[in-house]
Amino acid sequence: MEILKVSGNSQPKSVAGAIAAVLRESGSVEVQAVGAGAVNQAVKSIAIARGYVAPNGIDLICIPAFARIEIDQEERTAIRFLLEPR
C-alpha cells in the first residue's frame, strides 16, 4: 500500500489529488501525519479527496490510527489514516 506523508506546509488540494490518483489506481492509500498542523492538512485533504472521487461512484472511508515512526533516528507518534472505498 502506498504511503503519502503530509506536513503542515502541504497544500490540501495537491494532497487530495494524489490521494484520488492512488485510490483509483490501487484501491486504497495510507496517509501519515506528524504534528497538529500536518494532521489538520491531512484531514482537509481527505475531505477534498472525497469530493474528487465521488463522481466515480467511490464512497471514501477513513480509518484513523496511531503509528510509531522513526524520524532522524528518533521515534515519533504519527496519525495514520487508512483510506479505502466503502
Side-chain angles (χ1 to χ4, degrees), residues 22-50:
V22 173
L23 195 63
R24 288 185 187 114
E25 182 181 305
S26 63
S28 63
V29 63
E30 182 178 313
V31 176
Q32 282 186 356
V34 178
V39 171
N40 180 49
Q41 298 301 80
V43 170
K44 288 193 281 188
S45 300
I46 292 165
I48 294 167
R50 285 199 79 206

Side-chain angles (χ1 to χ4, degrees), residues 68-85:
R68 295 301 233 160
I69 63 170
E70 192 172 299
I71 300 174
D72 297 330
Q73 299 175 347
E74 183 179 324
E75 194 170 274
R76 304 279 305 264
T77 301
I79 301 290
R80 178 181 76 104
F81 300 98
L82 174 61
L83 307 174
E84 57 190 29

